[in-house]
Each structure stands twice: as structure tokens, then as C-alpha cells.
Amino acid sequence: MRAFLTDDQVVRLHTMAKDMIINVKEAATRLGCSQACVRDFVSMGVIKGFSRTRIFGYEGHGLANLGSEVDALRQRILTVPIVGSRGQHHGINYLSKATGKSVADIVQSVLEGKMVVARLDRRRRGIASWRFEAIAYKKAYRQRVREKEVRAVEAAAVMQMQLDAIQVFVRARVIKSRVGRDGQTYLDRASFEVFSSTYVNAKVYQDRLGCTDLELATRLEELGIRRIHGKLRARNRIYLVERKSLEKAIGELDDRGNDPPLWEAFRAVMASVCASFVIPPSSGGKVVKAYTATRSTYVELHVEGTELLIRKTFRSHPAPREWKVFIANQRQIRQEWKAFSWSKLNARGDVTAEFRIRSVEDITVAAEALRSLYLHFKNPRKLPQSRDGD
């Protein structure tokens, strides 16, 4: 049997075929999102998708979509109300990573009225133009680091290694750690102190070993220095060796040879008075930034001969959060730091405070001052609201 169609029916069928052959790439362009987001829309039933559709010679290239439905969704996206906000904003892709939701889920929440769009980025179109108020969807602040713990980033700085190498040691249980309720890994301070005092990164001393990166492994074998945990898989090769074996081969290491006795005494006092400041076992002949465990503030430690200089600069830019805390508590901080010498009497731009440790008595004064500073930044969630012009 044969069926004969009128010209109008043929036109309608061809129109429908063209409508159905919109591929994922074209749909993503119309909606202003990624192709993965389009596929998520299909999985969620927001728009229809047809696999490998071929109608009248038109092919869907793996997944075809109804163009009319895509355009209808695009129109709904364009008519989403904008609430307006002057605060910090995040794009939808950043928000997706921060909240753990897919872009399609966020779009669905917006269309259902569960989330709101703060403003539009005129340089983009469709979903990509949506901007969300940061504070409204801010992820819970990470758990405060305990006094007897160290963050992995601080451990990496102390060992002068890449962060992924420290994470490898943690996963291998070389360093004791725990996973907090926020999903972050926290290193046991006592375990890390033993680790950092026993081992060093041989790559830091390759100049004294007289070799290049490619020759380092061979050079260590020639000297009879065994690599510790060298078989652990990291992004870069691990050259962890025992401190004693390396010192036996090349002499006393620079990092401890240049430090005055006050350095170790200062670390010991800080460990009991305010252990939140992470201070490495040695300065390594460089200026050391001693951060609090939450990295909310830091001070600079300068070794100058037999003396130790503590310097803190409160910067109005690019550290606005730290500056707000300083401005709100300036009078109290200056009183607690009366032993420090200040560069300015009033906070008009950056302000620097310095204190020179010449004796054991000075260490006690400095430790108490740093403890008081830490208390001001103990909970960064409770930041003061600055007035206009501050």
C-alpha cells in the first residue's frame, strides 16, 4: 500500500525533521551552557532527546533535540527575574563546584524559585550570564584547625615540597591525620614534628650535591643515601631522605646552621603559648611567613645575626578581610602590641609593626603578643562590618 501526502503535510514533516535534528552543540549554544549540561537536561526530562535519530535524511549525531523545546527553555531562562545585589558574585560554573550541584540542577532550582539570580553578566548570554550572590550560597566555613594539628599546605611549606607529596604521605599513613566533618584533612602536629625533624627534601640541596634534577637519584645512590618512600606515586618524584644521612655526606645543612639559638627557643615557647602559628624547624636562611593554622593572618620572621625580628604589615590591599579586623580592633591591638614599634600612629593605608627578639625575655613578650593577635582572627566568620569609606 502506498500513502500519498499533500504538499502541506510534506512541509510539516520536513519542518518537524529539521526541528528534531538540533544536536547537542547547537542546543548548548542557544542555552549558553556546556554540552554536558544539555545532556543533564535530557536526563532530567527538562527537554526531550532522541538518540541517533534519522528522519528524511537528517541525522541527530548521537543525540537530537527538539529545537522548539530548547527555544522554550531559553525563553524561560531569559525571563528569570533579577533581584539585584552589589556584593560579591559567583558565576554558575563556580557555584556548581562550590555547592557540589550540577549546572542543570542549579538551573532547575532557579526556574522553580528555590534560588535567585542576583544580576546578569552582559558579556555572556543565556545561563552563562547568571551571577549569584556569594554570601547567599556560601559553603560552610571549614572547621577551625585544632591547636595540636597542622594543615597540609603548611606542612608542604615546612618541608619545601609540593602539596601533593604531603598528601601522598598522609594517604600512606606516614603522618598521622584525621578527616574533619568538613571533609578537610588535618595532620597531627606531634606526628608531623617527628617527620619534619627526621627527614628532609634532598632536592632542596642538589646544588651542594653537585647534580641536576635528572642526576639527583643517581647521586644519592653514589653517596649511599637511601630515598625514603621513593616508591610512593606522586605527581613529581619524591626525594625524601634522612637528615642524618644527608648531613653525613655533605656536612651540616644550611637551614639549621644559620639559625640563632633564639629560633628554637622561640618555637618552643610558641608551641606552648600559641601553637596555632605554624613555625618551621628552621628558617632555611630565608624570610619565613608564620601563618595561623586557619591562614587568616601571618607574621614575618627575619633572622638577623643572633637576633630574630618579627614584622607584621596590615595591608589595606589585597587583604581586605584582615584589614577590616585590624581597623575594628586597632586600639586594642596597639595596646596589646605596645612593645612593638609602629610605622604609623593612624591607619591610613598599610601599617607595619616590628619587634626585635634579643633575649629569652623578649620571646615571652612576642609570644603573648602573637597569641593576642591570633584571638582576633580566631573565628574569621565573625568579621566586623566596615563602614563606608573604611
Side-chain angles (χ1 to χ4, degrees):
M1 294 180 63
R2 295 184 178 181
F4 296 92
L5 303 177
T6 64
D7 292 341
D8 291 341
Q9 289 175 325
V10 172
V11 171
R12 286 172 58 191
L13 286 174
H14 277 277
T15 302
M16 182 182 295
K18 291 181 180 179
D19 187 23
M20 293 180 67
I21 65 165
I22 293 178
N23 57 30
V24 176
K25 183 177 181 180
E26 175 63 24
T29 301
R30 295 190 186 186
L31 296 175
C33 64
S34 65
Q35 296 183 32
C37 182
V38 174
R39 298 181 187 277
D40 288 340
F41 284 143
V42 173
S43 300
M44 296 165 61
V46 178
I47 57 177
K48 293 180 182 178
F50 303 88
S51 298
R52 302 188 180 279
T53 303
R54 181 188 291 272
I55 300 178
F56 298 128
Y58 300 105
E59 188 173 358
H61 301 292
L63 184 65
N65 304 102
L66 287 173
S68 57
E69 289 193 353
V70 173
D71 289 337
L73 178 59
R74 177 175 176 273
Q75 189 60 34
R76 292 179 63 191
I77 291 171
L78 294 176
T79 57
V80 166
I82 309 301
V83 298
S85 174
R86 294 184 178 180
Q88 183 181 5
H89 298 91
H90 293 324
I92 193 168
N93 290 322
Y94 182 94
L95 187 65
S96 173
K97 295 178 181 179
T99 59
K101 296 182 178 180
S102 67
V103 173
D105 287 332
I106 296 177
V107 173
Q108 188 78 328
S109 297
V110 171
L111 297 179
E112 293 175 355
K114 297 178 181 178
M115 298 177 69
V116 296
V117 179
R119 65 180 181 85
L120 296 179
D121 185 350
R122 301 299 179 183
R123 298 170 299 177
R124 304 176 183 272
R125 60 182 178 180
I127 298 170
S129 66
W130 286 357
R131 304 288 292 176
F132 298 83
E133 189 176 6
I135 192 66
Y137 305 104
K138 185 177 180 181
K139 194 174 182 179
Y141 194 85
R142 70 178 55 184
Q143 184 178 339
R144 186 167 63 86
V145 182
R146 298 173 182 174
E147 295 293 337
K148 295 183 179 180
E149 294 177 337
V150 181
R151 289 180 60 206
V153 65
E154 302 295 348
V158 171
M159 296 299 298
Q160 300 185 60
M161 305 181 76
Q162 295 293 329
L163 178 59
D164 72 304
I166 297 297
Q167 293 170 338
V168 166
F169 295 142
V170 171
R171 288 194 294 269
R173 298 184 180 181
V174 177
I175 305 173
K176 294 181 181 179
S177 64
R178 71 174 181 90
V179 178
R181 289 177 296 177
D182 56 357
Q184 298 291 326
T185 300
Y186 299 93
L187 280 59
D188 178 75
R189 184 182 291 271
S191 176
F192 176 68
E193 288 284 353
V194 173
F195 178 82
S196 60
S197 60
T198 305
Y199 304 109
V200 294
N201 182 13
K203 195 171 183 179
V204 178
Y205 305 97
Q206 66 183 30
D207 289 343
R208 293 181 61 180
L209 289 168
C211 62
T212 63
D213 289 351
L214 299 177
E215 301 168 345
L216 182 55
T218 304
R219 181 58 174 161
L220 291 176
E221 291 180 4
E222 292 174 352
L223 296 174
I225 301 174
R226 185 172 66 92
R227 289 170 58 193
I228 309 298
H229 306 299
K231 294 184 179 180
L232 293 178
R233 302 184 67 178
R235 185 174 57 193
N236 299 308
R237 299 185 68 180
I238 297 175
Y239 295 98
L240 190 72
V241 300
E242 289 188 355
R243 177 182 289 272
K244 291 182 179 179
S245 62
L246 188 61
E247 288 182 336
K248 185 178 179 180
I250 64 175
E252 189 174 15
L253 302 183
D254 294 338
D255 56 358
R256 296 198 172 189
N258 294 336
D259 291 336
L262 288 176
W263 180 274
E264 189 59 36
F266 176 67
R267 289 186 71 244
V269 173
M270 285 296 296
S272 60
V273 175
C274 184
S276 180
F277 277 95
V278 181
I279 304 174
S282 59
S283 67
K286 303 176 182 178
V287 177
V288 174
K289 288 185 177 181
Y291 282 88
T292 58
T294 56
R295 292 186 72 85
S296 54
T297 189
Y298 71 92
V299 295
E300 293 180 354
L301 304 178
H302 300 252
V303 175
E304 298 183 354
T306 59
E307 299 176 350
L308 179 62
L309 176 68
I310 300 177
R311 176 179 296 154
K312 174 58 187 172
T313 301
F314 296 97
R315 305 184 186 279
S316 57
H317 183 79
R321 182 176 64 175
E322 187 181 46
W323 181 253
K324 288 180 181 179
V325 174
F326 172 65
I327 291 296
N329 304 277
Q330 181 179 184
R331 182 174 299 178
Q332 185 178 354
I333 292 176
R334 286 180 180 271
Q335 177 61 30
E336 294 164 346
W337 283 32
K338 59 184 178 182
F340 284 63
S341 54
W342 294 80
S343 62
K344 296 180 181 179
L345 297 177
N346 298 311
R348 303 296 182 187
D350 298 350
V351 179
T352 301
E354 293 183 351
F355 181 75
R356 191 173 295 274
I357 298 178
R358 297 185 174 91
S359 63
V360 177
E361 290 75 15
D362 293 337
I363 292 178
T364 304
V365 176
E368 288 296 334
L370 295 184
R371 178 179 178 275
S372 64
L373 179 67
Y374 159 70
L375 293 176
H376 289 290
F377 291 88
K378 185 176 181 180
N379 191 347
R381 287 174 293 184
K382 298 180 180 179
L383 293 179
Q385 296 296 323
S386 63
R387 297 168 300 187
D388 294 339
D390 285 353

mmCIF file of all heavy atoms in Angstrom, residues 20 30 117 129 133 139 176 217 273 290 296 315 356:
data_model
loop_
_atom_site.group_PDB
_atom_site.id
_atom_site.type_symbol
_atom_site.label_atom_id
_atom_site.label_comp_id
_atom_site.label_asym_id
_atom_site.label_seq_id
_atom_site.Cartn_x
_atom_site.Cartn_y
_atom_site.Cartn_z
ATOM 1 N N MET A 20 13.870 18.475 14.935
ATOM 2 C CA MET A 20 14.381 17.398 15.770
ATOM 3 C C MET A 20 15.874 17.169 15.601
ATOM 4 O O MET A 20 16.492 16.488 16.422
ATOM 5 C CB MET A 20 13.637 16.103 15.453
ATOM 6 C CG MET A 20 12.176 16.113 15.834
ATOM 7 S SD MET A 20 11.353 14.568 15.444
ATOM 8 C CE MET A 20 12.157 13.443 16.559
ATOM 9 N N ARG A 30 22.537 27.739 22.060
ATOM 10 C CA ARG A 30 21.311 28.508 22.280
ATOM 11 C C ARG A 30 21.059 28.787 23.761
ATOM 12 O O ARG A 30 20.601 29.873 24.127
ATOM 13 C CB ARG A 30 20.111 27.761 21.697
ATOM 14 C CG ARG A 30 20.133 27.607 20.184
ATOM 15 C CD ARG A 30 18.806 27.071 19.668
ATOM 16 N NE ARG A 30 18.846 26.773 18.231
ATOM 17 C CZ ARG A 30 17.794 26.411 17.527
ATOM 18 N NH1 ARG A 30 16.606 26.273 18.118
ATOM 19 N NH2 ARG A 30 17.903 26.155 16.233
ATOM 20 N N VAL A 117 18.709 34.734 41.014
ATOM 21 C CA VAL A 117 19.840 35.301 40.276
ATOM 22 C C VAL A 117 20.016 36.743 40.710
ATOM 23 O O VAL A 117 19.058 37.526 40.692
ATOM 24 C CB VAL A 117 19.602 35.221 38.758
ATOM 25 C CG1 VAL A 117 20.763 35.837 37.991
ATOM 26 C CG2 VAL A 117 19.393 33.770 38.334
ATOM 27 N N SER A 129 25.277 33.847 31.700
ATOM 28 C CA SER A 129 25.233 35.243 32.150
ATOM 29 C C SER A 129 24.742 35.376 33.592
ATOM 30 O O SER A 129 24.833 36.452 34.172
ATOM 31 C CB SER A 129 24.314 36.056 31.224
ATOM 32 O OG SER A 129 22.969 35.620 31.351
ATOM 33 N N GLU A 133 24.684 35.784 44.229
ATOM 34 C CA GLU A 133 25.277 36.454 45.383
ATOM 35 C C GLU A 133 26.091 35.441 46.181
ATOM 36 O O GLU A 133 25.585 34.388 46.588
ATOM 37 C CB GLU A 133 24.205 37.077 46.261
ATOM 38 C CG GLU A 133 24.770 37.970 47.357
ATOM 39 C CD GLU A 133 23.668 38.643 48.151
ATOM 40 O OE1 GLU A 133 22.490 38.339 47.921
ATOM 41 O OE2 GLU A 133 23.999 39.468 49.023
ATOM 42 N N LYS A 139 29.439 28.266 51.068
ATOM 43 C CA LYS A 139 29.617 26.967 51.692
ATOM 44 C C LYS A 139 30.079 27.159 53.128
ATOM 45 O O LYS A 139 30.767 28.125 53.458
ATOM 46 C CB LYS A 139 30.668 26.157 50.917
ATOM 47 C CG LYS A 139 30.692 24.687 51.261
ATOM 48 C CD LYS A 139 31.655 23.960 50.347
ATOM 49 C CE LYS A 139 31.669 22.472 50.647
ATOM 50 N NZ LYS A 139 32.590 21.737 49.754
ATOM 51 N N LYS A 176 50.346 10.913 60.793
ATOM 52 C CA LYS A 176 49.017 10.716 61.362
ATOM 53 C C LYS A 176 48.125 11.898 60.997
ATOM 54 O O LYS A 176 48.586 13.048 60.946
ATOM 55 C CB LYS A 176 49.092 10.583 62.885
ATOM 56 C CG LYS A 176 49.812 9.328 63.353
ATOM 57 C CD LYS A 176 49.819 9.256 64.874
ATOM 58 C CE LYS A 176 50.552 8.007 65.354
ATOM 59 N NZ LYS A 176 50.576 7.936 66.840
ATOM 60 N N ALA A 217 68.772 11.279 41.645
ATOM 61 C CA ALA A 217 68.587 9.909 42.128
ATOM 62 C C ALA A 217 69.902 9.130 42.071
ATOM 63 O O ALA A 217 70.266 8.416 43.020
ATOM 64 C CB ALA A 217 67.511 9.209 41.303
ATOM 65 N N VAL A 273 52.465 28.523 74.176
ATOM 66 C CA VAL A 273 51.640 29.724 74.366
ATOM 67 C C VAL A 273 50.574 29.835 73.291
ATOM 68 O O VAL A 273 49.400 30.098 73.576
ATOM 69 C CB VAL A 273 52.525 30.994 74.386
ATOM 70 C CG1 VAL A 273 51.666 32.249 74.459
ATOM 71 C CG2 VAL A 273 53.492 30.953 75.566
ATOM 72 N N ALA A 290 55.035 33.002 59.068
ATOM 73 C CA ALA A 290 54.396 32.104 60.024
ATOM 74 C C ALA A 290 52.898 32.377 60.023
ATOM 75 O O ALA A 290 52.434 33.385 60.559
ATOM 76 C CB ALA A 290 54.980 32.304 61.416
ATOM 77 N N SER A 296 44.367 32.760 58.434
ATOM 78 C CA SER A 296 43.631 34.019 58.474
ATOM 79 C C SER A 296 44.562 35.211 58.651
ATOM 80 O O SER A 296 44.205 36.338 58.304
ATOM 81 C CB SER A 296 42.605 33.990 59.611
ATOM 82 O OG SER A 296 43.230 33.665 60.829
ATOM 83 N N ARG A 315 47.780 45.233 55.644
ATOM 84 C CA ARG A 315 47.628 45.826 54.310
ATOM 85 C C ARG A 315 46.154 46.062 53.995
ATOM 86 O O ARG A 315 45.322 45.185 54.189
ATOM 87 C CB ARG A 315 48.251 44.922 53.251
ATOM 88 C CG ARG A 315 49.719 44.587 53.523
ATOM 89 C CD ARG A 315 50.309 43.758 52.391
ATOM 90 N NE ARG A 315 51.664 43.323 52.696
ATOM 91 C CZ ARG A 315 52.745 44.081 52.541
ATOM 92 N NH1 ARG A 315 52.618 45.310 52.074
ATOM 93 N NH2 ARG A 315 53.945 43.622 52.854
ATOM 94 N N ARG A 356 61.946 43.255 67.932
ATOM 95 C CA ARG A 356 63.221 42.557 67.814
ATOM 96 C C ARG A 356 63.466 41.709 69.064
ATOM 97 O O ARG A 356 63.438 42.225 70.188
ATOM 98 C CB ARG A 356 64.357 43.554 67.626
ATOM 99 C CG ARG A 356 65.687 42.922 67.240
ATOM 100 C CD ARG A 356 66.708 43.996 66.906
ATOM 101 N NE ARG A 356 66.310 44.733 65.717
ATOM 102 C CZ ARG A 356 66.593 44.358 64.478
ATOM 103 N NH1 ARG A 356 67.256 43.225 64.269
ATOM 104 N NH2 ARG A 356 66.227 45.100 63.452
#
